Amino acid sequence: MPLLAAYFMAHPPLAIPTVGKGRERSIPAVLEAYDAIARQIAALEPATLIFITPHSTVYADYFHLSPGKGATGDMSAFGAPDTRFDTLYDRELADAIASCAGKAGIAAGGEGERDARLDHGCMVAMWYINRRFKNYRAVRLSPSGMGVSRHYRMGMCIQEAVQVTGRTAVLVASGDLSHKLTEDGPYGYAAEGALFDRAVTDAFAGADFLSLMNLSPALREGAAECGYSPAVMLAGCMDGRNTQARLLAYEGPFGVGYAMAAFTPGEPNAERRFLNGHQAAMLREAQAKRAAEDPYRALARQSLEHAVLTGGKLPLPKGLPSEMTGRKAGVFVSLSIGGRLRGCIGTITPVTGSIAAEINENAVSAGLHDHRFEPVTPEELPLLVYKVDVLGPAQAIAGPEALDVLRYGVIVSSGSKRGLLLPNLEGVDTVAEQIAIARGKAGISERETVTLKRFEVVRHE
């Protein structure tokens, strides 16, 4: 049996009256949708509710399933400590999800939990559901830092586990849309916010999951959202089935987009298997980039492809431009798939005899030795997009006033600790942010005195 239903639910803590203290009345359509969903779930009487929440334990390369027999939580972080929750977990279904994911080559399980308490991504939904229906067990899992395809596949694994165990189950994908809808909102304004929310709510209304999966990473980044990955996992749960979809509500009076949507799976339909369509879109993007690549990016690609496919080191090709073979410089090589970082390794100062040799070394390191990611696989090679940054000499500066996030990268040093951040990066809008990120990369606390250097780059992308 497939999932009985799936819901996308916003999770503003103020939706709970003991937290909102009247402010919840500013989102009447959302409140009405909460109750409508709760009534529908009560009518379905599922044995298990599966909560996907971005505010539990999240890892870059791992889907975390909360371990143990159950969990408790309260809204004390939002001024309502007496609003408490407790739930029992469905261990059999959680283990089945992890098992199905493992067979699909996806790392998932209950290791590394940092906080066992229920988070507000679950509790806001629970508050409304529990008023109508309480006789359920729960599975709580988090999205990851992996790409769209992995999140969709994880949704497919959830669906498979539900069928293997024979559970009657309902999925709740918890998340808010853009946090940058208004100037007076908590995160300020970005033009991408309303564009992102319109694209997602249109996709919800039409169960257009391929459009959802193909949304621009830059749009998602600019919107500052927390609901996209849970939504993609929900889409994966509907893979290969006709889906009845209803957008129940959308409101954003506090500068954050709150969407509520309901999805009911129907009969199998092979035309609604969207993973191949999404991967084809990524392949077209990578091929377009490859057709326009210059010698710097071409060498990075050839170096990594040779290492992945043969296990050896690519001999430097003949005929490279003289500026690549006759000059030394630090080089960063960045890899991405579908707009999401897949690896980045670089050198601040040159450690080889030429820029070409630097690219050769660092491209392989970015693909195979960036500790944040699993090594690139042969299947991923056609999807990779390459960027090469050639660093100019670093210059000591007196303070942050000599920096410009668009023009200069920064090197932050304290004793033996040193952190670097490249210029003109998406999501880094101020010098303060640039320095803070570089400090974090080096493990330099805000209390430590630092020296600053700046550098320019020639970017090949």
Side-chain angles (χ1 to χ4, degrees), residues 332-350:
F332 273 74
V333 176
S334 303
L335 317 173
S336 62
I337 293 180
R340 184 176 290 268
L341 185 67
R342 185 62 181 84
C344 179
I345 293 290
T347 45
I348 299 174
T349 55

Side-chain angles (χ1 to χ4, degrees), residues 152 155-156 171 209 212-213 230-239 274:
Y152 190 87
M156 294 169 62
L171 181 88
F209 297 139
L212 178 73
M213 296 168 71
V232 172
M233 293 170 73
L234 183 155
C237 290
M238 303 285 117
D239 180 69
F274 298 120

Side-chain angles (χ1 to χ4, degrees), residues 142-212:
S142 305
S144 74
M146 291 184 276
V148 172
S149 294
R150 283 297 178 96
H151 283 86
Y152 190 87
R153 284 184 184 274
M154 189 64 187
M156 294 169 62
C157 293
I158 294 170
Q159 179 66 274
E160 180 184 354
V162 168
Q163 293 177 318
V164 166
T165 58
R167 284 294 189 277
T168 56
V170 165
L171 181 88
V172 174
S174 175
D176 293 334
L177 300 187
S178 174
H179 291 58
K180 291 193 172 185
L181 295 180
T182 61
E183 290 286 1
D184 59 355
Y187 300 92
Y189 173 79
E192 294 91 340
L195 296 173
F196 173 84
D197 284 13
R198 172 61 64 86
V200 171
T201 51
D202 284 351
F204 284 170
D208 186 358
F209 297 139
L210 184 57
S211 292
L212 178 73

Side-chain angles (χ1 to χ4, degrees), residues 64-416:
H64 187 266
L65 288 135
S66 295
K69 295 181 179 180
T72 61
D74 60 59
M75 299 300 289
S76 59
F78 305 99
D82 293 333
T83 303
R84 298 187 176 97
F85 303 82
D86 64 84
T87 191
L88 294 174
Y89 287 147
D90 184 339
R91 281 265 51 89
E92 182 185 359
L93 180 55
D95 292 343
I97 292 172
S99 176
C100 291
K103 293 175 183 176
I106 300 172
E111 300 296 323
E113 184 172 58
R114 292 191 289 263
D115 189 347
R117 294 172 297 176
L118 294 172
D119 63 277
H120 74 273
C122 289
M123 291 188 289
V124 174
M126 284 180 173
W127 192 88
Y128 284 92
I129 293 167
N130 290 354
R131 295 197 305 165
R132 302 291 181 184
F133 180 67
K134 293 184 177 180
N135 189 27
Y136 64 87
R137 289 181 180 258
V139 170
R140 182 170 63 138
L141 72 154
S142 305
S144 74
M146 291 184 276
V148 172
S149 294
R150 283 297 178 96
H151 283 86
Y152 190 87
R153 284 184 184 274
M154 189 64 187
M156 294 169 62
C157 293
I158 294 170
Q159 179 66 274
E160 180 184 354
V162 168
Q163 293 177 318
V164 166
T165 58
R167 284 294 189 277
T168 56
V170 165
L171 181 88
V172 174
S174 175
D176 293 334
L177 300 187
S178 174
H179 291 58
K180 291 193 172 185
L181 295 180
T182 61
E183 290 286 1
D184 59 355
Y187 300 92
Y189 173 79
E192 294 91 340
L195 296 173
F196 173 84
D197 284 13
R198 172 61 64 86
V200 171
T201 51
D202 284 351
F204 284 170
D208 186 358
F209 297 139
L210 184 57
S211 292
L212 178 73
M213 296 168 71
N214 287 344
L215 282 182
S216 159
L219 183 64
R220 293 168 1 219
E221 180 75 22
E225 48 73 34
C226 69
Y228 180 75
S229 292
V232 172
M233 293 170 73
L234 183 155
C237 290
M238 303 285 117
D239 180 69
R241 288 187 175 274
N242 291 325
T243 302
Q244 180 183 352
R246 286 178 296 153
L247 178 65
L248 302 175
Y250 173 78
E251 294 175 298
F254 306 111
V256 179
Y258 305 133
M260 307 285 284
F263 305 89
T264 304
E267 293 299 313
N269 181 350
E271 294 182 359
R272 290 188 59 80
R273 297 190 180 279
F274 298 120
L275 190 59
N276 287 342
H278 171 64
Q279 291 178 330
M282 289 195 299
L283 181 60
R284 288 193 295 271
E285 177 191 1
Q287 288 175 334
K289 292 280 188 179
R290 182 172 299 189
E293 67 187 10
D294 64 7
Y296 292 79
R297 290 167 51 219
L299 178 58
R301 176 179 56 79
Q302 294 162 5
S303 298
L304 180 57
E305 288 178 347
H306 187 86
V308 171
L309 296 176
T310 72
K313 182 177 179 180
L314 177 75
L316 287 179
K318 296 181 179 180
L320 291 172
S322 58
E323 67 266 20
M324 293 178 68
T325 58
R327 190 165 71 87
K328 297 181 181 181
V331 170
F332 273 74
V333 176
S334 303
L335 317 173
S336 62
I337 293 180
R340 184 176 290 268
L341 185 67
R342 185 62 181 84
C344 179
I345 293 290
T347 45
I348 299 174
T349 55
V351 297
T352 67
S354 67
I355 290 174
E358 211 82 14
I359 293 172
N360 196 10
E361 295 284 347
N362 293 347
V364 175
S365 294
L368 301 182
H369 305 304
D370 187 333
H371 64 86
R372 298 169 296 176
F373 303 93
E374 292 294 316
V376 166
T377 64
E379 293 74 22
E380 291 177 298
L381 290 175
L383 303 174
L384 285 171
V385 173
Y386 296 78
K387 180 172 68 177
V388 176
D389 288 305
V390 180
L391 278 60
Q395 304 171 324
I397 57 175
E401 63 278 358
L403 290 171
D404 179 330
V405 293
L406 297 180
R407 179 178 178 182
Y408 297 114
V410 65
I411 300 170
V412 179
S413 302
S414 178
S416 62

Side-chain angles (χ1 to χ4, degrees), residues 33 50 142 230 240 286 422 430 436 459:
I50 304 167
S142 305
L422 296 169
T430 68
R459 178 160 291 167

